[in-house]
PDB file of all heavy atoms in Angstrom:
ATOM      1  N   LEU A 102       1.751  -4.051   1.039  1.00 89.00           N
ATOM      2  CA  LEU A 102       1.359  -3.586   2.361  1.00 89.00           C
ATOM      3  C   LEU A 102       2.136  -4.300   3.458  1.00 89.00           C
ATOM      4  O   LEU A 102       2.554  -3.678   4.447  1.00 89.00           O
ATOM      5  CB  LEU A 102      -0.148  -3.793   2.568  1.00 89.00           C
ATOM      6  CG  LEU A 102      -1.082  -2.860   1.800  1.00 89.00           C
ATOM      7  CD1 LEU A 102      -2.520  -3.340   1.920  1.00 89.00           C
ATOM      8  CD2 LEU A 102      -0.947  -1.428   2.293  1.00 89.00           C
ATOM      9  N   VAL A 103       2.342  -5.603   3.299  1.00 85.00           N
ATOM     10  CA  VAL A 103       3.079  -6.359   4.301  1.00 85.00           C
ATOM     11  C   VAL A 103       4.516  -5.863   4.393  1.00 85.00           C
ATOM     12  O   VAL A 103       5.045  -5.628   5.486  1.00 85.00           O
ATOM     13  CB  VAL A 103       3.048  -7.871   3.986  1.00 85.00           C
ATOM     14  CG1 VAL A 103       4.038  -8.633   4.875  1.00 85.00           C
ATOM     15  CG2 VAL A 103       1.640  -8.429   4.182  1.00 85.00           C
ATOM     16  N   VAL A 104       5.164  -5.693   3.239  1.00 84.00           N
ATOM     17  CA  VAL A 104       6.552  -5.222   3.225  1.00 84.00           C
ATOM     18  C   VAL A 104       6.648  -3.819   3.829  1.00 84.00           C
ATOM     19  O   VAL A 104       7.528  -3.525   4.653  1.00 84.00           O
ATOM     20  CB  VAL A 104       7.121  -5.230   1.793  1.00 84.00           C
ATOM     21  CG1 VAL A 104       8.475  -4.529   1.744  1.00 84.00           C
ATOM     22  CG2 VAL A 104       7.248  -6.660   1.284  1.00 84.00           C
ATOM     23  N   ALA A 105       5.723  -2.931   3.439  1.00 88.00           N
ATOM     24  CA  ALA A 105       5.725  -1.564   3.960  1.00 88.00           C
ATOM     25  C   ALA A 105       5.506  -1.558   5.470  1.00 88.00           C
ATOM     26  O   ALA A 105       6.152  -0.789   6.206  1.00 88.00           O
ATOM     27  CB  ALA A 105       4.648  -0.732   3.266  1.00 88.00           C
ATOM     28  N   THR A 106       4.622  -2.420   5.953  1.00 89.00           N
ATOM     29  CA  THR A 106       4.344  -2.482   7.392  1.00 89.00           C
ATOM     30  C   THR A 106       5.547  -3.025   8.150  1.00 89.00           C
ATOM     31  O   THR A 106       5.900  -2.510   9.224  1.00 89.00           O
ATOM     32  CB  THR A 106       3.112  -3.360   7.667  1.00 89.00           C
ATOM     33  OG1 THR A 106       2.006  -2.886   6.885  1.00 89.00           O
ATOM     34  CG2 THR A 106       2.723  -3.315   9.133  1.00 89.00           C
ATOM     35  N   ARG A 107       6.176  -4.062   7.602  1.00 85.00           N
ATOM     36  CA  ARG A 107       7.371  -4.612   8.249  1.00 85.00           C
ATOM     37  C   ARG A 107       8.450  -3.539   8.384  1.00 85.00           C
ATOM     38  O   ARG A 107       9.070  -3.400   9.439  1.00 85.00           O
ATOM     39  CB  ARG A 107       7.912  -5.788   7.436  1.00 85.00           C
ATOM     40  CG  ARG A 107       7.071  -7.050   7.506  1.00 85.00           C
ATOM     41  CD  ARG A 107       7.599  -8.097   6.566  1.00 85.00           C
ATOM     42  NE  ARG A 107       8.909  -8.596   6.990  1.00 85.00           N
ATOM     43  CZ  ARG A 107       9.746  -9.266   6.190  1.00 85.00           C
ATOM     44  NH1 ARG A 107       9.414  -9.471   4.933  1.00 85.00           N
ATOM     45  NH2 ARG A 107      10.883  -9.709   6.658  1.00 85.00           N
ATOM     46  N   ARG A 108       8.679  -2.797   7.314  1.00 87.00           N
ATOM     47  CA  ARG A 108       9.728  -1.773   7.343  1.00 87.00           C
ATOM     48  C   ARG A 108       9.401  -0.664   8.345  1.00 87.00           C
ATOM     49  O   ARG A 108      10.269  -0.219   9.096  1.00 87.00           O
ATOM     50  CB  ARG A 108       9.923  -1.194   5.941  1.00 87.00           C
ATOM     51  CG  ARG A 108      10.572  -2.175   4.974  1.00 87.00           C
ATOM     52  CD  ARG A 108      10.631  -1.605   3.577  1.00 87.00           C
ATOM     53  NE  ARG A 108      11.285  -2.536   2.665  1.00 87.00           N
ATOM     54  CZ  ARG A 108      11.271  -2.409   1.349  1.00 87.00           C
ATOM     55  NH1 ARG A 108      10.642  -1.392   0.782  1.00 87.00           N
ATOM     56  NH2 ARG A 108      11.897  -3.284   0.581  1.00 87.00           N
ATOM     57  N   GLU A 109       8.155  -0.232   8.348  1.00 90.00           N
ATOM     58  CA  GLU A 109       7.769   0.839   9.272  1.00 90.00           C
ATOM     59  C   GLU A 109       7.803   0.350  10.716  1.00 90.00           C
ATOM     60  O   GLU A 109       8.221   1.075  11.625  1.00 90.00           O
ATOM     61  CB  GLU A 109       6.374   1.345   8.912  1.00 90.00           C
ATOM     62  CG  GLU A 109       5.876   2.508   9.752  1.00 90.00           C
ATOM     63  CD  GLU A 109       6.724   3.767   9.601  1.00 90.00           C
ATOM     64  OE1 GLU A 109       7.485   3.880   8.610  1.00 90.00           O
ATOM     65  OE2 GLU A 109       6.643   4.646  10.480  1.00 90.00           O
ATOM     66  N   ALA A 110       7.374  -0.906  10.931  1.00 87.00           N
ATOM     67  CA  ALA A 110       7.400  -1.468  12.283  1.00 87.00           C
ATOM     68  C   ALA A 110       8.839  -1.597  12.777  1.00 87.00           C
ATOM     69  O   ALA A 110       9.142  -1.272  13.934  1.00 87.00           O
ATOM     70  CB  ALA A 110       6.704  -2.830  12.298  1.00 87.00           C
ATOM     71  N   GLN A 111       9.720  -2.065  11.917  1.00 84.00           N
ATOM     72  CA  GLN A 111      11.119  -2.208  12.310  1.00 84.00           C
ATOM     73  C   GLN A 111      11.753  -0.854  12.598  1.00 84.00           C
ATOM     74  O   GLN A 111      12.629  -0.739  13.455  1.00 84.00           O
ATOM     75  CB  GLN A 111      11.891  -2.937  11.213  1.00 84.00           C
ATOM     76  CG  GLN A 111      11.533  -4.417  11.125  1.00 84.00           C
ATOM     77  CD  GLN A 111      12.015  -5.074   9.842  1.00 84.00           C
ATOM     78  OE1 GLN A 111      12.619  -4.423   8.983  1.00 84.00           O
ATOM     79  NE2 GLN A 111      11.742  -6.358   9.703  1.00 84.00           N
ATOM     80  N   ARG A 112      11.303   0.174  11.897  1.00 85.00           N
ATOM     81  CA  ARG A 112      11.840   1.514  12.121  1.00 85.00           C
ATOM     82  C   ARG A 112      11.479   2.019  13.514  1.00 85.00           C
ATOM     83  O   ARG A 112      12.243   2.765  14.138  1.00 85.00           O
ATOM     84  CB  ARG A 112      11.286   2.467  11.059  1.00 85.00           C
ATOM     85  CG  ARG A 112      11.933   3.848  11.064  1.00 85.00           C
ATOM     86  CD  ARG A 112      11.282   4.753  10.049  1.00 85.00           C
ATOM     87  NE  ARG A 112       9.912   5.093  10.409  1.00 85.00           N
ATOM     88  CZ  ARG A 112       9.588   6.017  11.309  1.00 85.00           C
ATOM     89  NH1 ARG A 112      10.535   6.681  11.946  1.00 85.00           N
ATOM     90  NH2 ARG A 112       8.330   6.279  11.584  1.00 85.00           N
ATOM     91  N   THR A 113      10.299   1.624  14.006  1.00 85.00           N
ATOM     92  CA  THR A 113       9.837   2.121  15.302  1.00 85.00           C
ATOM     93  C   THR A 113      10.080   1.137  16.442  1.00 85.00           C
ATOM     94  O   THR A 113       9.827   1.465  17.600  1.00 85.00           O
ATOM     95  CB  THR A 113       8.326   2.420  15.260  1.00 85.00           C
ATOM     96  OG1 THR A 113       7.612   1.198  14.973  1.00 85.00           O
ATOM     97  CG2 THR A 113       8.006   3.444  14.179  1.00 85.00           C
ATOM     98  N   TRP A 114      10.586  -0.046  16.119  1.00 69.00           N
ATOM     99  CA  TRP A 114      10.692  -1.116  17.112  1.00 69.00           C
ATOM    100  C   TRP A 114      11.826  -0.861  18.092  1.00 69.00           C
ATOM    101  O   TRP A 114      12.909  -0.427  17.722  1.00 69.00           O
ATOM    102  CB  TRP A 114      10.936  -2.442  16.400  1.00 69.00           C
ATOM    103  CG  TRP A 114      10.886  -3.651  17.293  1.00 69.00           C
ATOM    104  CD1 TRP A 114       9.783  -4.357  17.651  1.00 69.00           C
ATOM    105  CD2 TRP A 114      12.001  -4.308  17.900  1.00 69.00           C
ATOM    106  NE1 TRP A 114      10.140  -5.414  18.454  1.00 69.00           N
ATOM    107  CE2 TRP A 114      11.486  -5.403  18.626  1.00 69.00           C
ATOM    108  CE3 TRP A 114      13.365  -4.066  17.911  1.00 69.00           C
ATOM    109  CZ2 TRP A 114      12.309  -6.267  19.351  1.00 69.00           C
ATOM    110  CZ3 TRP A 114      14.188  -4.919  18.642  1.00 69.00           C
ATOM    111  CH2 TRP A 114      13.659  -6.011  19.348  1.00 69.00           C
ATOM    112  N   THR A 115      11.564  -1.168  19.361  1.00 60.00           N
ATOM    113  CA  THR A 115      12.607  -1.190  20.387  1.00 60.00           C
ATOM    114  C   THR A 115      12.421  -2.472  21.185  1.00 60.00           C
ATOM    115  O   THR A 115      11.286  -2.930  21.374  1.00 60.00           O
ATOM    116  CB  THR A 115      12.508   0.016  21.342  1.00 60.00           C
ATOM    117  OG1 THR A 115      11.233  -0.017  22.001  1.00 60.00           O
ATOM    118  CG2 THR A 115      12.670   1.327  20.583  1.00 60.00           C
ATOM    119  N   PRO A 116      13.494  -3.087  21.673  1.00 54.00           N
ATOM    120  CA  PRO A 116      13.371  -4.366  22.401  1.00 54.00           C
ATOM    121  C   PRO A 116      12.402  -4.303  23.573  1.00 54.00           C
ATOM    122  O   PRO A 116      11.714  -5.270  23.855  1.00 54.00           O
ATOM    123  CB  PRO A 116      14.813  -4.632  22.873  1.00 54.00           C
ATOM    124  CG  PRO A 116      15.656  -3.931  21.857  1.00 54.00           C
ATOM    125  CD  PRO A 116      14.883  -2.681  21.493  1.00 54.00           C
TER     126      PRO A 116
END
Side-chain angles (χ1 to χ4, degrees):
L102 287 170
V103 169
V104 171
T106 306
R107 288 174 68 197
R108 290 175 178 168
E109 183 63 18
Q111 289 166 359
R112 189 183 68 79
T113 62
W114 188 86
T115 60

